[in-house]
Amino acid sequence: MRAFRQVGEKQLPNPILYMAWSPKRDLIALANTNGELLLHRLSNFYRVWSLQPNENTGKEITALAWRPDGKILAFSLGDTIQVVLCDAEKAEILHVFPVRLPVSCMHWMEVQEENSGLASFYDSEDESNRFLPKLPSLPKSYSTTTKIFSEEKSDEATNLLGDVRLNILVLGGPCGFVELYAYGLYKIATANRIAGYCRSLCLSSDLKSLSVITEVRSTDDDPEIHYVQLDTGLLSSCLPELTRMARKFTHISTLLEYLRLSLTCMCEAWEDILLQMDLRLTKFVQEKNTSTQVQDEFLELLLWGHASPELQALLMNQLTVKGLKMLGQSIESSYSGIQKLVISHLQSGSEALLYHLSEVKGMALWKQKYQPLGLDPAVIEDAITAVGSFTLKANELLQVIDKSMKNFKAFFRWLYVAMLRMSDDHVPPELNKVPLSSTENLITSWEDCRVYGRLGMTHKDLAFVADFLAEHFSANEELFDRKGKYFNVERVGQYLKDEEEDLVSPPNTEGNQWVKFLKESTHLKESPLLFPTYPQKSLHFVKRMMEGTIELCLQKPAEVIGKSVKEALRLPLYTVPESSENTPRLFEMPALWNNNKASMHYVVFCMPEISPSKIYLLRRATDPCRSVPNGLIAIDLSRPLNSSIDDEDAAAEIPGNGTYRCLDARLYDAETLTVVLQGQEEERVLAQLPLSAALRSEEEFAWDTTLRLDQQNGSIPSQGLVWENQWRPLDNMKAQFVAVNGIRKVSCVLSSNLRHVRVFEMDVEDEDEEEEDRQEESQNITPDQEALEESLTSQKDAGANMEAQEGGEADQAAEGGSGDTLEHTSSSDTL
C-alpha cells in the first residue's frame, strides 16, 4: 500500500448534514442545515455549483444518493415529503415525485450480473425510437416547476433512463417504509413487512437481497439496532423481464408528466379576458330598465344599425373600440397557441402513450414470463381505453377552438364596424368591401345590395352573426345560479378548468350522423374497439381519469413484487447509546457496503458502551440461502500503532501508544477499512486498516439469534491488525466523520462541529505511475464523461470566486466555537 495525502481543506459557513462521493468523478455532494445542496471538487475543494432551497421542492434535505453513472444526484426532502432528481452537470431539477412517508435513507445501485441471455438483451435497442417521432419541446417560457422537457433534446426520457442496464433507487423511512424505483422514476416494489425505523439500506447488485439497518423499540422501550436481510429473489430471477417492463413503465410515467406539463402550458396560454365580457353583459341585464333580451338588442343593431342607449353605453363606454380590437387580437393569439399545443404536444404524447401501453399489453399476455411481475392484461386494456378517451377529448377541443375562432372573427368584425359608425369614425374601405364569410351568396334584390353593401356583409354573413348571437347571448338562469353570470360567450376555457362539474356549454351533437349511428346500433354501443366519449366533461377531468387508470396499471406490479419481498434474516445487534441521540443519522454506524465480486453484504459497526476499542465486521451472502464462513469478526484497536515509517521526523509525530476508539468507519474496498480514531489524549487519526488477515481467520462465532449481539460480546472472535504506514494524525481538527470512495481513491473527513472538512487522496503514486494512469484514463473516457468533465471544468473559475468571497467570513466563524483551528496543507504533503 502507498501513503495518502491531503489535497484540500475548507471551513464551511453552515454545518454539513450529509455528504456523498460521486461514483464516477472526483466530486462530493454536501447538504447543509440551510437546505442547500453543494457540489465540490477534490482539487482544492472548490465549489462547482450550489442549489438553493425553494418553496416548490423543499428546504429540509434528509438523504443523498448518486446514480451509478454519476450524472444524476437524488436527494429527499422532509418538509415536503418528496424526492428530487438533479442534473449533476447543470444543477437543474429534472424530476420531482412525492413519497408516502419522509425518507430517512436512500441507496442507488446498478445491476452488475452478466450472463448470455442478458448480454443479447442489453445489446438490443428500444424500437420505440424507430416508430415514434421525438416529442417537441415545451415552450421555453414555461419553467415554473420543472425543466424535464425544456431542453433542445425532445426525448428527455432517454436521459433520465440512462443506459439500458437496470439501476434501482431504494428509499427507506419510518415504520419500515421501503420502496424501490427503477431508474429512479418508476416504483417497482413496496415492502411493508419491516419493523422499525430504517436508518440505512443497501440492495445487492445481483438483486438477490436487500440489507436494512433498522431501529426498533425493545420490550423495555429501549432503542435497538437490528440488521435485516430481505429476500428479493423475484427481482433476480426475472431480471430481463423486469428490465424491459421497468423501461416501458418509466417511459409511460415520463409521458404522463409530459402531458401534464403540456396541459399546464395550455392553461397559461388561455386568456380570461372574455370572462370580463360575460360579467359586463350580466351587469347590463341587471341594470337595464327594459325587459328586452340582450340578443334582441344585438339583433336590432345587426338588422337596422340602431342600438338602445343602454347597449350603446355598454359598447362605447365599457367595451370601447380600442378594447374590442385588443380583445379580438388577444383571443386569436390565445386560441392559436392552445391549438398548436394540442396538435403538437397532446396528440403526439397520447400517440406515444398508446404505443407503449400496447407493448406492455403484449408483454402481459406472455403470462409465463410477466405474470409473476404482476402485469394484468385487463388493467392495461383499461389504461389504453382511458388514453383513447383523452385523445378524443383533445380532438373535441380542437373543433371547439376552430369554430370559436371563426365565430369570434366574424362577430368582432361586425361589431367593430358598428361601433365605428356609432362614434362617427371613418370605416376603413377594406371592412366594407371584404365579406366576413369565405363564400359569397347570391344577392337577389337591389335593396339587399344597398343594405348589405353598406354593412360589408352577405346573406351568409348576416345569418352567421345572427346564429352566433342566438346561441351565445341568450340569458341562462341555470348558469347564473352556478357561476354568477347569465352568459357563456367563450367556450374554450371550460375545457381547461380543473373542476368536477360538467361543462357549462357542451358541444351540440344533434346533427352528427356518426353519433346518431352509434345510438341506433345495438352492437357498437358496447364495442371494445370504440373509445368512450365524455361530452359533458372537461379535458382536465378526462386527463385525471386517465392518470388514475394508468396509475392502477403502474401500481399493480409494485404491489405484487412488494409482497414477494420477505424477511429472510433479522439479527439484533445492540442498544443505541444515549450519546448518539443528537448525531446526524447519515453519520451514524452501522455502515453498509456491497461486495459485487464476492456477492456479499458487509456491515461495519461499533458498540461503544460494551467494547469501545473494537470494530465489528458482519458479512452475509447476498443469497440468503448461502452461508459465509467467518461471518462476524471483531477488530481490536487496543494494541499500539505499529508503523513502518522510516522517517525519524514523521515517527516523532506519532501519538503516544495506547488504546484507540473508533469514531467513524467506512469500507474502502473488500479488504480495507477507512476509520477515524480517537486516542486517550483526544488526538485524532485517519487510518486505512487492512482486513485480509482478519478475514482469513478460521474462528467461528455461534450466534444465538434470541439474544442481542452485545449480550454475546465475549465469544466474538477478535483480531489485531498491523497498520503499517497507512495512517496519519489529524492535527488541529476534531475529526469525527469520514466519507470514502474506493473506486476514485478519495476520502473526506468532517469535524465534530460539522463545518471543518479535509479531503485526501488515499493511494498516492509516484509521478511516473500517476502520468501513466492519467494517460490511460484519458484514453478510456467516454463521450458523456468527457462532456460532463468539460462542463464542470468551465465552472471552476466561478466556483473559485464564490469560495473566495465566502472563505474569509467562514474561516473566522465556522470553527471558532469548537476549538478547532485551521491547518492548510498543500497537495504535495506526504507522511
Side-chain angles (χ1 to χ4, degrees):
M1 280 187 189
R2 302 180 180 89
F4 49 91
R5 67 186 179 192
Q6 180 178 324
V7 295
E9 186 170 17
K10 186 66 179 177
Q11 292 277 11
L12 299 173
N14 298 302
I16 298 300
L17 294 180
Y18 306 95
M19 54 185 181
W21 282 102
S22 168
K24 296 294 184 180
R25 282 284 173 265
D26 297 334
L27 303 170
I28 186 169
L30 308 173
N32 61 27
T33 53
N34 285 355
E36 293 178 291
L37 183 63
L38 312 172
L39 190 69
H40 285 259
R41 209 159 186 176
L42 174 67
S43 178
N44 298 325
F45 205 73
Y46 72 84
R47 184 187 300 180
V48 179
W49 52 253
S50 65
L51 187 64
Q52 301 297 322
N54 62 77
E55 297 179 355
N56 294 326
T57 55
K59 301 179 180 180
E60 183 185 340
I61 299 178
T62 59
L64 292 176
W66 285 89
R67 196 169 75 175
D69 63 0
K71 296 180 181 178
I72 294 179
L73 178 64
F75 60 95
S76 58
L77 297 159
D79 49 347
T80 57
I81 315 181
Q82 296 182 122
V83 174
V84 181
L85 304 185
C86 174
D87 188 340
E89 179 181 350
K90 302 177 182 178
E92 290 182 351
I93 294 177
L94 298 176
H95 185 58
V96 180
F97 62 90
V99 288
R100 183 166 51 90
L101 293 172
V103 175
S104 59
C105 55
M106 60 173 58
H107 172 244
W108 207 333
M109 58 73 62
E110 184 178 54
V111 175
Q112 299 291 339
E113 182 177 336
E114 295 288 351
N115 56 51
S116 57
L118 283 178
S120 60
F121 172 75
Y122 288 147
D123 293 337
S124 63
E125 63 176 345
D126 189 353
E127 293 185 351
S128 62
N129 295 328
R130 298 171 54 189
F131 302 112
L132 294 176
K134 290 186 177 182
L135 297 176
S137 301
L138 292 176
K140 293 183 178 180
S141 59
Y142 176 69
S143 59
T144 55
T145 57
T146 182
K147 297 185 178 181
I148 293 181
F149 299 98
S150 62
E151 301 298 323
E152 295 181 357
K153 287 187 177 181
S154 58
D155 192 5
E156 291 296 332
T158 303
N159 292 341
L160 288 174
L161 286 172
D163 298 330
V164 178
R165 189 184 302 275
L166 178 65
N167 57 78
I168 299 178
L169 175 64
V170 189
L171 310 178
C175 305
F177 166 71
V178 173
E179 290 184 343
L180 282 68
Y181 287 80
Y183 303 103
L185 299 174
Y186 162 59
K187 183 166 61 177
I188 59 173
T190 301
N192 296 316
R193 301 181 182 180
I194 308 171
Y197 180 94
C198 295
R199 291 178 48 163
S200 60
L201 38 75
C202 180
L203 180 64
S204 64
S205 59
D206 56 12
L207 298 183
K208 291 183 178 180
S209 62
L210 171 64
S211 287
V212 185
I213 299 297
T214 63
E215 180 180 322
V216 299
R217 290 287 176 177
S218 65
T219 55
D220 299 331
D221 201 33
D222 295 326
E224 293 182 352
I225 299 299
H226 288 199
Y227 168 74
V228 181
Q229 187 174 20
L230 302 178
D231 186 351
T232 58
L234 179 61
L235 300 180
S236 176
S237 60
C238 299
L239 179 55
E241 294 80 14
L242 176 68
T243 303
R244 189 176 295 276
M245 183 190 74
R247 288 185 71 83
K248 282 298 173 186
F249 275 20
T250 305
H251 276 296
I252 292 171
S253 300
T254 311
L255 286 170
L256 285 176
E257 180 74 2
Y258 179 81
L259 292 177
R260 185 186 69 82
L261 297 178
S262 299
L263 192 53
T264 303
C265 290
M266 291 167 54
C267 295
E268 292 181 354
W270 178 69
E271 296 285 349
D272 61 353
I273 191 170
L274 266 179
L275 298 181
Q276 302 176 10
M277 189 173 185
D278 292 340
L279 296 177
R280 288 171 180 171
L281 289 174
T282 299
K283 185 177 180 181
F284 170 71
V285 171
Q286 294 173 336
E287 294 180 353
K288 71 186 184 70
N289 298 324
T290 63
S291 60
T292 309
Q293 295 291 331
V294 173
Q295 62 176 346
D296 297 336
E297 298 266 1
F298 278 97
L299 286 173
E300 183 179 352
L301 178 62
L302 173 65
L303 294 176
W304 310 110
H306 301 294
S308 64
E310 293 89 350
L311 180 60
Q312 187 170 354
L314 171 68
L315 296 178
M316 303 306 297
N317 298 335
Q318 297 187 32
L319 187 59
T320 72
V321 175
K322 183 179 179 181
L324 179 66
K325 188 174 181 181
M326 293 178 60
L327 179 62
Q329 294 174 349
S330 177
I331 290 177
E332 183 176 3
S333 174
S334 175
Y335 282 6
S336 298
I338 296 175
Q339 193 175 43
K340 292 178 181 178
L341 286 170
V342 173
I343 295 173
S344 62
H345 292 74
L346 284 192
Q347 288 187 339
S348 60
S350 300
E351 291 173 359
L353 201 54
L354 282 174
Y355 173 88
H356 289 294
L357 283 173
S358 299
E359 285 208 334
V360 172
K361 180 183 177 182
M363 294 160 55
L365 294 175
W366 194 354
K367 295 184 179 180
Q368 181 182 2
K369 291 286 188 181
Y370 291 95
Q371 192 175 35
L373 296 177
L375 287 185
D376 188 347
V379 178
I380 299 172
E381 181 62 37
D382 293 339
I384 293 176
T385 302
V387 176
S389 298
F390 177 76
T391 305
L392 292 179
K393 180 58 67 171
N395 291 333
E396 179 184 314
L397 176 59
L398 283 179
Q399 296 175 7
V400 173
I401 292 175
D402 185 65
K403 181 180 179 181
S404 298
M405 291 181 69
K406 293 178 180 178
N407 290 347
F408 281 121
K409 186 176 182 179
F411 172 70
F412 284 146
R413 180 172 176 179
W414 160 73
L415 191 59
Y416 182 68
V417 173
M419 292 175 66
L420 287 178
R421 289 186 175 134
M422 286 182 192
S423 59
D424 297 328
D425 288 343
H426 172 69
V427 179
E430 60 272 12
L431 295 180
N432 280 330
K433 295 179 181 180
V434 180
L436 301 182
S437 62
S438 60
T439 306
E440 287 282 6
N441 283 359
L442 180 64
I443 300 178
T444 58
S445 67
W446 173 254
E447 182 64 20
D448 290 339
C449 291
R450 185 180 65 81
V451 175
Y452 299 143
R454 179 172 59 83
L455 295 176
M457 301 178 68
T458 64
H459 278 293
K460 186 175 182 179
D461 295 329
L462 183 64
F464 190 83
V465 176
D467 291 340
F468 177 80
L469 292 174
E471 182 180 359
H472 292 77
F473 286 82
S474 57
N476 188 337
E477 296 293 339
E478 181 182 354
L479 178 61
F480 183 80
D481 295 336
R482 289 175 55 187
K483 301 293 184 180
K485 60 181 183 178
Y486 288 106
F487 305 94
N488 186 41
V489 178
E490 200 269 339
R491 303 294 174 87
V492 175
Q494 60 182 347
Y495 284 86
L496 305 179
K497 294 291 185 181
D498 193 4
E499 300 175 351
E500 296 290 339
E501 298 180 359
D502 293 345
L503 295 178
V504 174
S505 302
N508 186 5
T509 59
E510 292 181 0
N512 192 308
Q513 297 297 323
W514 173 250
V515 175
K516 181 180 179 181
F517 173 71
L518 289 180
K519 290 181 179 180
E520 295 175 353
S521 174
T522 57
H523 299 286
L524 290 178
K525 286 182 179 180
E526 305 297 331
S527 174
L529 300 177
L530 299 177
F531 298 134
T533 59
Y534 302 90
Q536 302 293 329
K537 299 300 181 180
S538 67
L539 183 64
H540 255 293
F541 180 89
V542 179
K543 190 258 305 180
R544 288 202 310 272
M545 183 190 67
M546 175 189 69
E547 290 176 337
T549 307
I550 295 179
E551 187 64 25
L552 291 176
C553 175
L554 298 178
Q555 287 179 353
K556 187 68 179 296
E559 295 174 0
V560 173
I561 297 174
K563 291 179 180 178
S564 71
V565 178
K566 299 179 181 179
E567 184 176 301
L569 176 70
R570 176 178 288 270
L571 299 175
L573 300 181
Y574 57 91
T575 57
V576 178
E578 296 181 0
S579 59
S580 67
E581 291 181 356
N582 297 325
T583 305
R585 291 294 184 187
L586 178 73
F587 302 127
E588 283 189 338
M589 290 190 287
L592 293 174
W593 188 73
N594 179 234
N595 187 344
N596 300 332
K597 295 181 179 179
S599 297
M600 285 195 297
H601 292 290
Y602 283 43
V603 187
V604 180
F605 59 95
C606 294
M607 295 187 289
E609 302 292 331
I610 304 299
S611 302
S613 60
K614 289 184 179 181
I615 303 175
Y616 298 87
L617 178 62
L618 171 65
R619 297 187 300 162
R620 297 291 305 181
T622 57
D623 185 353
C625 299
R626 182 168 65 92
S627 61
V628 176
N630 192 20
L632 177 65
I633 59 173
I635 301 172
D636 191 359
L637 302 175
S638 61
R639 300 181 183 181
L641 293 178
N642 182 6
S643 176
S644 62
I645 298 178
D646 297 328
D647 189 348
E648 296 181 358
D649 296 335
E653 298 177 1
I654 297 176
N657 295 337
T659 300
Y660 287 83
R661 71 183 185 94
C662 178
L663 300 178
D664 195 14
R666 293 294 185 270
L667 277 156
Y668 184 78
D669 54 37
E671 295 186 348
T672 309
L673 187 66
T674 304
V675 295
V676 175
L677 305 176
Q678 179 180 347
Q680 293 179 344
E681 299 179 0
E682 294 297 322
E683 70 272 10
R684 309 297 169 97
V685 175
L686 176 65
Q688 295 277 73
L689 304 184
L691 302 176
S692 55
L695 296 177
R696 288 194 297 267
S697 173
E698 297 181 356
E699 296 185 58
E700 291 291 340
F701 171 64
W703 198 313
D704 184 358
T705 56
T706 62
L707 299 175
R708 290 196 315 268
L709 183 64
D710 56 4
Q711 298 172 336
Q712 313 170 60
N713 181 55
S715 59
I716 301 176
S718 180
Q719 299 289 331
L721 300 178
V722 178
W723 295 10
E724 300 180 352
N725 66 337
Q726 286 297 291
W727 68 275
R728 67 175 296 162
L730 298 172
D731 298 331
N732 302 319
M733 181 182 188
K734 291 184 179 180
Q736 185 78 23
F737 310 107
V738 63
V740 300
N741 185 345
I743 299 176
R744 304 302 301 175
K745 301 179 180 179
V746 292
S747 68
C748 180
V749 179
L750 180 65
S751 65
S752 58
N753 68 355
L754 308 179
R755 294 184 179 185
H756 185 184
V757 296
R758 288 183 184 175
V759 187
F760 296 89
E761 287 182 345
M762 305 304 289
D763 290 346
V764 180
E765 301 179 356
D766 295 334
E767 294 182 0
D768 296 339
E769 294 177 342
E770 288 181 350
E771 183 64 27
E772 292 177 0
D773 288 347
R774 281 195 294 267
Q775 293 177 359
E776 182 179 355
E777 182 178 355
S778 63
Q779 293 173 359
N780 297 332
I781 194 169
T782 64
D784 291 338
Q785 293 172 344
E786 185 175 358
L788 176 60
E789 183 76 21
E790 292 177 356
S791 175
L792 295 174
T793 303
S794 65
Q795 303 176 43
K796 177 177 181 180
D797 295 338
N801 293 336
M802 186 185 306
E803 293 289 334
Q805 295 174 1
E806 297 178 355
E809 181 180 353
D811 290 345
Q812 296 176 5
E815 291 264 4
S818 66
D820 292 347
T821 58
L822 183 63
E823 178 192 23
H824 294 281
T825 308
S826 66
S827 60
S828 60
D829 288 345
T830 57
L831 288 175

